[in-house]
Amino acid sequence: MTSFTESEERQTLRREVAKLAGKFGREWFTEKARAGEKTTDLWLEIGKNGYLGINIPEEYGGGGGGIGDIAAVCEELAAQGCPLLLMVVSPAICGTIISRYGTEEQKHRWLPGICDGTGTMAFAITEPDAGTNTHNITTTARRDGDGWVLNGRKIYISGVDEADNVLVVARTEDARTGKLKPVLFVVPTDAEGFEARPIPMEIVSPELQFQVFIDDVRLPDDAVVGDEDGGLVQLFAERIMAASFSTGLARFALERAASYAKERTVFQGPIGSHQAIAHPLAQSKIEIELARLMTQKAAALYDAGDDMGAGEAANMAKYAAAEAACDAADRAVQTHGGNGITQEYGMAGLLVATRAGRIAPVSREMILNFVAMHSLGLPKSY
C-alpha cells in the first residue's frame, strides 16, 4: 500500500457500503423524498451493519474508527444516489463532539443510539441574523438554580423531525471574565418551549430543513457537553463530511452521464465519441479525484491529531469537492440534453443538491478568506 491510497480495510468498507446502498438506489430515494416519506429503512440498515457509528469508540457501540471512515460511508452512500445529510450531523458532528468532550454518563446515554440509528441527534448552530458569522450567535443560556434556561432562534437545521435531541450551540457568560462564550447543550426535541417549523425547500430530499424556536427551555446541568473547545471539532467534522457528501454526489452524476454517453447514439455513433461530450466528463473525473485526495488528506491529518493541518486541508477539500460536484451535475444535465431536465432521468435535481455544497456548512467565499489569510498570509478582508 502506498502512502496516498486507503487501507484495505477502508476499501472493503467502501465496497460493502456501496453494495448496501445499491440495494436501495436513487429511484427509491427520490420516490421517498417526493412522497414526503423518510429513508428510515436505509438509515437503520446502515446502523445495523455498524457503519453509522463507525467513528465512535467501541465501548459505546461504535466501530472505533476515525473521521475518514465515517466520511467514506457518507461518500459511498451519495455515490449510489442516496445522500444522507444526517450522516454529516448525527454521527460525524454530534457523535464526535460527545465522544471527545462528553462525560461517561453522557456517552453511555447518547452514543449507542447514534450508532444504531435509533437515537439520531440534530445539530443547531446557524441563526437568522448571524449567517456565516457565528461570533454573532444570540441564542443564550443563563443559570437558573442547578440548571439552565435557553432562549434563541436557529435556522436551516436538518432533520429535527427525525431526531430525539438537538445539540444546540448557545452563548453563556463566563464567570471569570464576564464575556460570552459558546457552550453546547443537548436539547430534547419534545422539551417544553422547543418548536420546529419546516422550511419549504426546492431541493428534493427526505431530510427536511427547519427553523427552530427556543423559548425558556429548561435544561438540567448535565445537558452541557464539554466546553467551547468542542466547536473546533465541529468545524473539522462538518467540512470533511461536506466534502465527502459533495464528492459522492459528483461521482453519481458523472457515472450516470458517462453511462448515457456510451449508449445514446446520434449521427454515426455514441455521443461519448465526440470531444464536446467526452472532454467535460474527463475534466470532472480529474476534479473529483483531486477532491477525494484532499478529503482523505484532511481526514488523515485530523485522525492524527494535527489540528492546524487538518483545518487547512478540510477547508480546501470542502471547496474542491463542492466545485467538482457543481460542475459534474451541470455536465451531466448537458450530456443528457433534453432528458437532463426530466424527472425520469433524475439529473436536474442534482443541480440544486450540489449547489448547496457551495453554501453550507460554510460558503466558498469564507473558505477563500481562510486560505488567503492562513495559507497565504494576506491581510484579513472582513
Side-chain angles (χ1 to χ4, degrees):
M1 185 186 75
T2 59
S3 60
F4 48 86
T5 57
E6 293 183 314
S7 67
E8 182 56 42
E9 290 81 3
R10 178 79 58 78
Q11 293 177 45
T12 300
L13 170 66
R14 287 184 179 277
R15 287 192 294 269
E16 292 302 313
V17 173
K19 188 188 304 180
L20 187 157
K23 295 176 183 177
F24 292 85
R26 181 66 181 180
E27 286 69 29
W28 174 86
F29 184 88
T30 305
E31 284 175 13
K32 289 287 185 182
R34 292 193 187 282
E37 299 175 1
K38 299 299 181 184
T39 50
T40 308
D41 291 346
L42 174 57
W43 185 258
L44 293 177
E45 190 74 12
I46 299 166
K48 187 176 75 173
N49 283 273
Y51 305 139
L52 198 54
I54 198 165
N55 60 310
I56 292 171
E58 294 179 15
E59 58 264 41
Y60 309 111
I67 195 73
D69 296 308
I70 193 69
V73 174
C74 181
E75 181 187 335
E76 294 306 322
L77 288 168
Q80 293 299 316
C82 300
L84 294 177
L85 189 57
L86 283 176
M87 287 291 301
V88 180
V89 177
S90 189
I93 296 178
C94 298
T96 300
I97 289 173
I98 293 171
S99 296
R100 183 172 289 194
Y101 296 105
T103 64
E104 280 301 311
E105 194 278 330
Q106 289 173 333
K107 293 175 186 178
H108 284 288
R109 190 196 318 177
W110 291 313
L111 291 180
I114 289 176
C115 291
D116 65 19
T118 61
T120 302
M121 187 176 289
F123 182 73
I125 184 171
T126 310
E127 294 189 357
D129 297 323
T132 302
N133 188 0
T134 54
H135 296 293
N136 282 352
I137 285 175
T138 58
T139 297
T140 55
R142 62 176 174 81
R143 273 287 187 187
D144 186 54
D146 57 357
W148 296 89
V149 176
L150 220 61
N151 281 281
R153 301 285 182 271
K154 299 291 181 180
I155 197 168
Y156 299 120
I157 309 306
S158 305
V160 178
D161 57 332
E162 300 179 65
D164 297 323
N165 297 283
V166 182
L167 187 60
V168 175
V169 181
R171 292 163 75 86
T172 187
E173 188 175 293
D174 190 309
R176 292 170 300 172
T177 65
K179 295 181 179 179
L180 291 177
K181 65 176 183 178
V183 178
L184 300 163
F185 293 85
V186 176
V187 182
T189 51
D190 61 358
E192 185 177 351
F194 183 94
E195 181 188 358
R197 299 176 188 171
I199 303 170
M201 304 289 288
E202 289 290 348
I203 191 169
V204 179
S205 172
E207 296 161 322
L208 305 180
Q209 299 294 312
F210 290 87
Q211 185 165 10
V212 172
F213 300 84
I214 304 169
D215 295 309
D216 288 331
V217 173
R218 294 186 173 275
L219 299 170
D221 193 47
D222 62 0
V224 178
V225 178
D227 55 29
E228 62 268 29
D229 292 333
L232 194 61
V233 177
Q234 171 252 320
L235 294 177
F236 295 154
E238 70 179 2
R239 283 159 177 71
I240 293 170
M241 294 298 290
S244 298
F245 190 89
S246 290
T247 300
L249 281 176
R251 286 172 55 198
F252 174 77
L254 180 60
E255 190 278 327
R256 286 291 178 95
S259 295
Y260 187 84
K262 294 172 189 174
E263 298 166 1
R264 173 70 167 161
T265 299
V266 178
F267 301 112
Q268 283 76 40
I271 60 173
S273 64
H274 303 296
Q275 291 178 349
I277 298 293
H279 283 185
L281 299 185
Q283 275 183 274
S284 277
K285 175 63 176 176
I286 293 169
E287 291 165 5
I288 290 167
E289 290 305 315
L290 291 173
R292 292 185 77 197
L293 276 173
M294 184 54 80
T295 305
Q296 290 172 22
K297 176 181 178 179
L301 289 170
Y302 173 80
D303 287 335
D306 183 353
D307 287 347
M308 288 303 296
E312 180 183 58
N315 275 291
M316 290 182 175
K318 190 267 181 188
Y319 177 94
E323 296 302 304
C326 286
D327 288 344
D330 184 65
R331 291 161 181 165
V333 170
Q334 192 68 21
T335 299
H336 282 76
N339 288 332
I341 51 178
T342 65
Q343 285 191 4
E344 178 185 356
Y345 284 83
M347 292 292 99
L350 294 174
L351 293 174
V352 180
T354 55
R355 192 65 177 76
R358 280 180 172 165
I359 301 167
V362 63
S363 70
R364 66 194 295 272
E365 288 75 21
M366 287 305 293
I367 288 180
L368 292 173
N369 281 335
F370 178 94
V371 173
M373 286 174 56
H374 298 284
S375 303
L376 300 178
L378 298 176
K380 186 175 181 178
S381 60
Y382 60 96

